[in-house]
Amino acid sequence: RRADSACRTPLDCAPMKREYIEPFFATLAAANPHPQSELEYTTVFELLAAVLLSAQATDVGVNKATRKLFPVAILALGLEGLEAHIKTIGLFRSKAKHLMETCRILVERHGGEVPRSREALEALPGVGRKTANVVLNVAFGEPTMAVDTHIFRVGNRTGLAPGKTPLAVEQQLMKRVPAAYAVDSHHWLILLGRYVCLARKPQCHRCSVAAYCDFKPKTTG
């Protein structure tokens, strides 16, 4: 990792100075005091299902499919019926299988409720660490960090949480994000990566936290 400021690729960037971290999040919080997931849901189960379906798919695409899905009893649909509902989503066959099995386990072992423990969540088919982190954070208010491709990029490019793997970035974020911002921080970082800190050309010229980021050269438009 380079120690100078000629940071041109995300994994080149030096760690963000500690004194920058609090104002970095304070700026994001001031612009969006109550960030929310862009996935649509009304129950914890609907959130779990939406996150399970969202792998390698956009939130917009998932929302289009689940608007038709949630009013229907999934188990009553059967596997083929469920596949028909979500066929516009990438990897829909494997996701349908996982979601159907998850529904059965929730009914048989958890009284139809989504469990609140990481261990029980990760025991559900198709539910990995990232999905469990989203549910624990969004549904239950725990200060977890669901590292997707956007957070991985932002964590490295800004130097906020350098790491070569999603788990390494998650562990760095859990150490470095101030407690006051912990619960909402993953929303801010996702939105920053999704709409401003883009993969191919970061929009530095309209980034509210560019002053705290060592990425060079900053884009100008």
Side-chain angles (χ1 to χ4, degrees):
R1 183 172 300 279
R2 293 161 63 167
D4 61 27
S5 62
C7 168
R8 295 175 182 273
T9 67
L11 290 176
D12 253 352
C13 301
M16 182 183 291
K17 295 178 181 178
R18 286 198 172 273
E19 59 266 31
Y20 287 177
I21 295 176
E22 199 283 335
F24 176 93
F25 282 104
T27 301
L28 295 176
N32 186 2
H34 305 291
Q36 296 181 341
S37 172
E38 293 188 323
L39 289 171
E40 296 176 359
Y41 67 96
T42 57
T43 67
V44 180
F45 169 72
E46 289 180 0
L47 173 65
L48 172 64
V51 179
L52 193 154
L53 295 174
S54 69
Q56 297 186 41
T58 66
D59 287 359
V60 172
V62 172
N63 290 337
K64 286 181 180 178
T66 55
R67 286 187 193 114
K68 300 177 181 179
L69 172 66
F70 290 142
V72 183
I74 291 177
L75 289 173
L77 278 175
L79 185 58
E80 289 187 1
L82 179 56
E83 287 179 352
H85 271 273
I86 65 171
K87 64 183 180 181
T88 57
I89 299 175
L91 307 175
F92 72 93
R93 287 192 173 86
S94 62
K95 290 178 180 179
K97 182 180 178 181
H98 288 153
L99 183 54
M100 188 67 69
E101 287 300 312
T102 287
C103 289
R104 290 198 181 96
I105 292 172
L106 291 178
V107 170
E108 293 172 3
R109 302 181 191 175
H110 301 286
E113 299 294 324
V114 176
R116 295 192 61 155
S117 77
R118 176 184 299 282
E119 182 181 18
L121 285 168
E122 291 187 14
L124 298 171
V127 177
R129 185 175 183 85
K130 186 184 79 171
T131 298
N133 278 340
V134 173
V135 174
L136 290 170
N137 177 270
V138 177
F140 301 126
E142 295 191 20
T144 57
M145 186 63 64
V147 177
D148 66 353
T149 183
H150 300 299
I151 292 184
F152 183 79
R153 179 173 65 257
V154 170
N156 276 290
R157 181 181 277 158
T158 63
L160 175 64
K164 293 184 178 180
T165 66
L167 180 58
V169 171
E170 177 187 340
Q171 291 170 337
Q172 285 293 315
L173 287 169
M174 295 300 289
K175 292 177 183 177
R176 305 195 84 200
V177 176
Y181 304 108
V183 172
D184 290 327
S185 58
H186 104 267
H187 289 304
W188 290 318
L189 295 175
I190 286 175
L191 294 172
L192 182 64
R194 184 174 289 165
Y195 297 113
V196 180
C197 195
L198 307 180
R200 293 187 178 181
K201 187 178 181 181
Q203 304 294 295
C204 305
H205 57 287
R206 62 184 188 89
C207 178
S208 62
V209 290
Y212 309 111
C213 170
D214 204 34
F215 182 76
K216 305 288 184 183
K218 293 287 194 295
T219 60
T220 57

mmCIF file of all heavy atoms in Angstrom, residues 38-68:
data_model
loop_
_atom_site.group_PDB
_atom_site.id
_atom_site.type_symbol
_atom_site.label_atom_id
_atom_site.label_comp_id
_atom_site.label_asym_id
_atom_site.label_seq_id
_atom_site.Cartn_x
_atom_site.Cartn_y
_atom_site.Cartn_z
ATOM 1 N N GLU A 38 -33.027 0.853 0.119
ATOM 2 C CA GLU A 38 -33.825 1.083 -1.076
ATOM 3 C C GLU A 38 -34.635 -0.149 -1.463
ATOM 4 O O GLU A 38 -35.406 -0.105 -2.430
ATOM 5 C CB GLU A 38 -32.920 1.528 -2.229
ATOM 6 C CG GLU A 38 -32.306 2.895 -1.964
ATOM 7 C CD GLU A 38 -31.547 3.461 -3.155
ATOM 8 O OE1 GLU A 38 -30.889 2.688 -3.865
ATOM 9 O OE2 GLU A 38 -31.625 4.684 -3.367
ATOM 10 N N LEU A 39 -34.471 -1.240 -0.733
ATOM 11 C CA LEU A 39 -35.335 -2.405 -0.920
ATOM 12 C C LEU A 39 -36.684 -2.127 -0.261
ATOM 13 O O LEU A 39 -36.753 -1.557 0.827
ATOM 14 C CB LEU A 39 -34.710 -3.653 -0.294
ATOM 15 C CG LEU A 39 -33.482 -4.223 -0.991
ATOM 16 C CD1 LEU A 39 -32.846 -5.312 -0.134
ATOM 17 C CD2 LEU A 39 -33.838 -4.768 -2.366
ATOM 18 N N GLU A 40 -37.767 -2.533 -0.911
ATOM 19 C CA GLU A 40 -39.100 -2.309 -0.378
ATOM 20 C C GLU A 40 -39.536 -3.510 0.457
ATOM 21 O O GLU A 40 -39.407 -4.661 0.030
ATOM 22 C CB GLU A 40 -40.084 -2.073 -1.525
ATOM 23 C CG GLU A 40 -39.782 -0.809 -2.321
ATOM 24 C CD GLU A 40 -40.697 -0.634 -3.520
ATOM 25 O OE1 GLU A 40 -41.560 -1.516 -3.755
ATOM 26 O OE2 GLU A 40 -40.556 0.382 -4.230
ATOM 27 N N TYR A 41 -40.050 -3.240 1.649
ATOM 28 C CA TYR A 41 -40.522 -4.318 2.522
ATOM 29 C C TYR A 41 -41.435 -3.723 3.588
ATOM 30 O O TYR A 41 -41.374 -2.522 3.872
ATOM 31 C CB TYR A 41 -39.337 -5.030 3.194
ATOM 32 C CG TYR A 41 -38.594 -4.157 4.173
ATOM 33 C CD1 TYR A 41 -38.884 -4.200 5.535
ATOM 34 C CD2 TYR A 41 -37.617 -3.253 3.741
ATOM 35 C CE1 TYR A 41 -38.218 -3.375 6.432
ATOM 36 C CE2 TYR A 41 -36.953 -2.431 4.623
ATOM 37 C CZ TYR A 41 -37.262 -2.495 5.970
ATOM 38 O OH TYR A 41 -36.610 -1.671 6.857
ATOM 39 N N THR A 42 -42.271 -4.565 4.172
ATOM 40 C CA THR A 42 -43.120 -4.117 5.274
ATOM 41 C C THR A 42 -42.974 -5.002 6.503
ATOM 42 O O THR A 42 -43.443 -4.652 7.579
ATOM 43 C CB THR A 42 -44.610 -4.098 4.861
ATOM 44 O OG1 THR A 42 -44.991 -5.410 4.418
ATOM 45 C CG2 THR A 42 -44.851 -3.094 3.737
ATOM 46 N N THR A 43 -42.352 -6.166 6.358
ATOM 47 C CA THR A 43 -42.117 -7.064 7.485
ATOM 48 C C THR A 43 -40.668 -7.531 7.457
ATOM 49 O O THR A 43 -39.974 -7.386 6.443
ATOM 50 C CB THR A 43 -43.030 -8.304 7.421
ATOM 51 O OG1 THR A 43 -42.648 -9.105 6.288
ATOM 52 C CG2 THR A 43 -44.499 -7.922 7.299
ATOM 53 N N VAL A 44 -40.214 -8.111 8.557
ATOM 54 C CA VAL A 44 -38.843 -8.622 8.612
ATOM 55 C C VAL A 44 -38.662 -9.748 7.590
ATOM 56 O O VAL A 44 -37.623 -9.854 6.937
ATOM 57 C CB VAL A 44 -38.504 -9.123 10.028
ATOM 58 C CG1 VAL A 44 -37.073 -9.656 10.074
ATOM 59 C CG2 VAL A 44 -38.656 -7.998 11.039
ATOM 60 N N PHE A 45 -39.697 -10.587 7.432
ATOM 61 C CA PHE A 45 -39.588 -11.651 6.442
ATOM 62 C C PHE A 45 -39.433 -11.084 5.032
ATOM 63 O O PHE A 45 -38.622 -11.567 4.242
ATOM 64 C CB PHE A 45 -40.799 -12.579 6.479
ATOM 65 C CG PHE A 45 -40.839 -13.507 5.297
ATOM 66 C CD1 PHE A 45 -39.946 -14.560 5.199
ATOM 67 C CD2 PHE A 45 -41.713 -13.284 4.235
ATOM 68 C CE1 PHE A 45 -39.927 -15.398 4.082
ATOM 69 C CE2 PHE A 45 -41.710 -14.111 3.123
ATOM 70 C CZ PHE A 45 -40.814 -15.173 3.053
ATOM 71 N N GLU A 46 -40.208 -10.069 4.708
ATOM 72 C CA GLU A 46 -40.109 -9.467 3.378
ATOM 73 C C GLU A 46 -38.717 -8.886 3.153
ATOM 74 O O GLU A 46 -38.168 -8.970 2.043
ATOM 75 C CB GLU A 46 -41.174 -8.383 3.210
ATOM 76 C CG GLU A 46 -42.585 -8.954 3.097
ATOM 77 C CD GLU A 46 -43.647 -7.873 2.932
ATOM 78 O OE1 GLU A 46 -43.271 -6.678 2.899
ATOM 79 O OE2 GLU A 46 -44.832 -8.216 2.841
ATOM 80 N N LEU A 47 -38.129 -8.296 4.199
ATOM 81 C CA LEU A 47 -36.763 -7.793 4.080
ATOM 82 C C LEU A 47 -35.795 -8.943 3.820
ATOM 83 O O LEU A 47 -34.947 -8.856 2.916
ATOM 84 C CB LEU A 47 -36.362 -7.057 5.365
ATOM 85 C CG LEU A 47 -34.891 -6.618 5.427
ATOM 86 C CD1 LEU A 47 -34.573 -5.579 4.366
ATOM 87 C CD2 LEU A 47 -34.564 -6.086 6.827
ATOM 88 N N LEU A 48 -35.910 -10.009 4.593
ATOM 89 C CA LEU A 48 -35.033 -11.166 4.404
ATOM 90 C C LEU A 48 -35.154 -11.713 2.987
ATOM 91 O O LEU A 48 -34.141 -11.976 2.320
ATOM 92 C CB LEU A 48 -35.392 -12.269 5.411
ATOM 93 C CG LEU A 48 -34.684 -13.614 5.221
ATOM 94 C CD1 LEU A 48 -33.182 -13.477 5.418
ATOM 95 C CD2 LEU A 48 -35.260 -14.652 6.187
ATOM 96 N N ALA A 49 -36.374 -11.868 2.515
ATOM 97 C CA ALA A 49 -36.592 -12.391 1.172
ATOM 98 C C ALA A 49 -36.000 -11.460 0.119
ATOM 99 O O ALA A 49 -35.353 -11.907 -0.838
ATOM 100 C CB ALA A 49 -38.086 -12.595 0.920
ATOM 101 N N ALA A 50 -36.188 -10.164 0.296
ATOM 102 C CA ALA A 50 -35.672 -9.196 -0.676
ATOM 103 C C ALA A 50 -34.152 -9.221 -0.730
ATOM 104 O O ALA A 50 -33.556 -9.176 -1.805
ATOM 105 C CB ALA A 50 -36.173 -7.797 -0.330
ATOM 106 N N VAL A 51 -33.512 -9.296 0.433
ATOM 107 C CA VAL A 51 -32.045 -9.322 0.456
ATOM 108 C C VAL A 51 -31.528 -10.623 -0.143
ATOM 109 O O VAL A 51 -30.546 -10.636 -0.886
ATOM 110 C CB VAL A 51 -31.522 -9.145 1.893
ATOM 111 C CG1 VAL A 51 -29.992 -9.191 1.909
ATOM 112 C CG2 VAL A 51 -31.996 -7.823 2.478
ATOM 113 N N LEU A 52 -32.217 -11.734 0.167
ATOM 114 C CA LEU A 52 -31.819 -13.016 -0.406
ATOM 115 C C LEU A 52 -31.888 -12.974 -1.934
ATOM 116 O O LEU A 52 -31.033 -13.520 -2.626
ATOM 117 C CB LEU A 52 -32.720 -14.122 0.151
ATOM 118 C CG LEU A 52 -32.308 -15.579 -0.067
ATOM 119 C CD1 LEU A 52 -32.906 -16.463 1.033
ATOM 120 C CD2 LEU A 52 -32.757 -16.090 -1.418
ATOM 121 N N LEU A 53 -32.882 -12.291 -2.469
ATOM 122 C CA LEU A 53 -33.058 -12.206 -3.916
ATOM 123 C C LEU A 53 -32.140 -11.174 -4.570
ATOM 124 O O LEU A 53 -31.959 -11.188 -5.788
ATOM 125 C CB LEU A 53 -34.511 -11.846 -4.242
ATOM 126 C CG LEU A 53 -35.583 -12.870 -3.866
ATOM 127 C CD1 LEU A 53 -36.968 -12.287 -4.113
ATOM 128 C CD2 LEU A 53 -35.404 -14.166 -4.636
ATOM 129 N N SER A 54 -31.535 -10.312 -3.770
ATOM 130 C CA SER A 54 -30.835 -9.162 -4.340
ATOM 131 C C SER A 54 -29.412 -9.449 -4.812
ATOM 132 O O SER A 54 -28.809 -8.598 -5.464
ATOM 133 C CB SER A 54 -30.788 -8.016 -3.316
ATOM 134 O OG SER A 54 -29.936 -8.348 -2.226
ATOM 135 N N ALA A 55 -28.871 -10.618 -4.497
ATOM 136 C CA ALA A 55 -27.507 -10.937 -4.934
ATOM 137 C C ALA A 55 -27.420 -10.878 -6.458
ATOM 138 O O ALA A 55 -28.246 -11.460 -7.160
ATOM 139 C CB ALA A 55 -27.101 -12.318 -4.437
ATOM 140 N N GLN A 56 -26.450 -10.125 -6.968
ATOM 141 C CA GLN A 56 -26.236 -9.947 -8.406
ATOM 142 C C GLN A 56 -27.500 -9.432 -9.108
ATOM 143 O O GLN A 56 -27.807 -9.798 -10.231
ATOM 144 C CB GLN A 56 -25.755 -11.251 -9.048
ATOM 145 C CG GLN A 56 -24.409 -11.719 -8.502
ATOM 146 C CD GLN A 56 -23.879 -12.933 -9.235
ATOM 147 O OE1 GLN A 56 -23.982 -13.028 -10.449
ATOM 148 N NE2 GLN A 56 -23.296 -13.862 -8.494
ATOM 149 N N ALA A 57 -28.239 -8.600 -8.404
ATOM 150 C CA ALA A 57 -29.439 -7.969 -8.968
ATOM 151 C C ALA A 57 -29.549 -6.574 -8.361
ATOM 152 O O ALA A 57 -29.033 -6.316 -7.277
ATOM 153 C CB ALA A 57 -30.690 -8.784 -8.647
ATOM 154 N N THR A 58 -30.223 -5.675 -9.057
ATOM 155 C CA THR A 58 -30.398 -4.327 -8.533
ATOM 156 C C THR A 58 -31.592 -4.278 -7.587
ATOM 157 O O THR A 58 -32.523 -5.093 -7.690
ATOM 158 C CB THR A 58 -30.637 -3.322 -9.667
ATOM 159 O OG1 THR A 58 -31.894 -3.616 -10.307
ATOM 160 C CG2 THR A 58 -29.507 -3.386 -10.687
ATOM 161 N N ASP A 59 -31.576 -3.311 -6.674
ATOM 162 C CA ASP A 59 -32.720 -3.132 -5.787
ATOM 163 C C ASP A 59 -33.975 -2.829 -6.583
ATOM 164 O O ASP A 59 -35.075 -3.278 -6.241
ATOM 165 C CB ASP A 59 -32.449 -1.994 -4.799
ATOM 166 C CG ASP A 59 -31.438 -2.379 -3.733
ATOM 167 O OD1 ASP A 59 -30.969 -3.528 -3.753
ATOM 168 O OD2 ASP A 59 -31.115 -1.527 -2.883
ATOM 169 N N VAL A 60 -33.847 -2.069 -7.655
ATOM 170 C CA VAL A 60 -34.999 -1.731 -8.497
ATOM 171 C C VAL A 60 -35.613 -3.005 -9.082
ATOM 172 O O VAL A 60 -36.832 -3.194 -9.065
ATOM 173 C CB VAL A 60 -34.582 -0.767 -9.630
ATOM 174 C CG1 VAL A 60 -35.741 -0.571 -10.618
ATOM 175 C CG2 VAL A 60 -34.161 0.578 -9.055
ATOM 176 N N GLY A 61 -34.759 -3.890 -9.587
ATOM 177 C CA GLY A 61 -35.247 -5.138 -10.158
ATOM 178 C C GLY A 61 -35.901 -6.033 -9.131
ATOM 179 O O GLY A 61 -36.939 -6.660 -9.395
ATOM 180 N N VAL A 62 -35.309 -6.098 -7.951
ATOM 181 C CA VAL A 62 -35.891 -6.905 -6.872
ATOM 182 C C VAL A 62 -37.244 -6.339 -6.461
ATOM 183 O O VAL A 62 -38.214 -7.084 -6.275
ATOM 184 C CB VAL A 62 -34.943 -6.965 -5.658
ATOM 185 C CG1 VAL A 62 -35.624 -7.631 -4.470
ATOM 186 C CG2 VAL A 62 -33.673 -7.736 -6.024
ATOM 187 N N ASN A 63 -37.333 -5.031 -6.324
ATOM 188 C CA ASN A 63 -38.594 -4.415 -5.915
ATOM 189 C C ASN A 63 -39.714 -4.697 -6.913
ATOM 190 O O ASN A 63 -40.866 -4.918 -6.528
ATOM 191 C CB ASN A 63 -38.417 -2.901 -5.740
ATOM 192 C CG ASN A 63 -37.575 -2.551 -4.525
ATOM 193 O OD1 ASN A 63 -37.463 -3.338 -3.591
ATOM 194 N ND2 ASN A 63 -36.992 -1.370 -4.532
ATOM 195 N N LYS A 64 -39.395 -4.697 -8.198
ATOM 196 C CA LYS A 64 -40.418 -4.991 -9.206
ATOM 197 C C LYS A 64 -40.961 -6.401 -9.039
ATOM 198 O O LYS A 64 -42.159 -6.650 -9.203
ATOM 199 C CB LYS A 64 -39.827 -4.819 -10.608
ATOM 200 C CG LYS A 64 -39.610 -3.380 -11.031
ATOM 201 C CD LYS A 64 -39.042 -3.303 -12.434
ATOM 202 C CE LYS A 64 -38.821 -1.857 -12.863
ATOM 203 N NZ LYS A 64 -38.212 -1.775 -14.227
ATOM 204 N N ALA A 65 -40.070 -7.336 -8.722
ATOM 205 C CA ALA A 65 -40.497 -8.728 -8.565
ATOM 206 C C ALA A 65 -41.259 -8.942 -7.262
ATOM 207 O O ALA A 65 -42.281 -9.632 -7.236
ATOM 208 C CB ALA A 65 -39.286 -9.653 -8.621
ATOM 209 N N THR A 66 -40.778 -8.344 -6.181
ATOM 210 C CA THR A 66 -41.389 -8.615 -4.883
ATOM 211 C C THR A 66 -42.709 -7.900 -4.675
ATOM 212 O O THR A 66 -43.508 -8.304 -3.840
ATOM 213 C CB THR A 66 -40.421 -8.249 -3.741
ATOM 214 O OG1 THR A 66 -40.011 -6.879 -3.893
ATOM 215 C CG2 THR A 66 -39.189 -9.136 -3.758
ATOM 216 N N ARG A 67 -42.976 -6.854 -5.459
ATOM 217 C CA ARG A 67 -44.285 -6.201 -5.350
ATOM 218 C C ARG A 67 -45.396 -7.200 -5.671
ATOM 219 O O ARG A 67 -46.491 -7.131 -5.125
ATOM 220 C CB ARG A 67 -44.373 -5.011 -6.307
ATOM 221 C CG ARG A 67 -43.585 -3.794 -5.860
ATOM 222 C CD ARG A 67 -43.845 -2.587 -6.743
ATOM 223 N NE ARG A 67 -42.865 -1.542 -6.488
ATOM 224 C CZ ARG A 67 -41.960 -1.131 -7.364
ATOM 225 N NH1 ARG A 67 -41.928 -1.645 -8.574
ATOM 226 N NH2 ARG A 67 -41.102 -0.182 -7.042
ATOM 227 N N LYS A 68 -45.101 -8.122 -6.568
ATOM 228 C CA LYS A 68 -46.086 -9.141 -6.943
ATOM 229 C C LYS A 68 -45.980 -10.385 -6.072
ATOM 230 O O LYS A 68 -46.902 -11.176 -5.991
ATOM 231 C CB LYS A 68 -45.879 -9.535 -8.407
ATOM 232 C CG LYS A 68 -46.023 -8.388 -9.384
ATOM 233 C CD LYS A 68 -45.731 -8.851 -10.807
ATOM 234 C CE LYS A 68 -45.843 -7.710 -11.802
ATOM 235 N NZ LYS A 68 -45.533 -8.137 -13.189
#
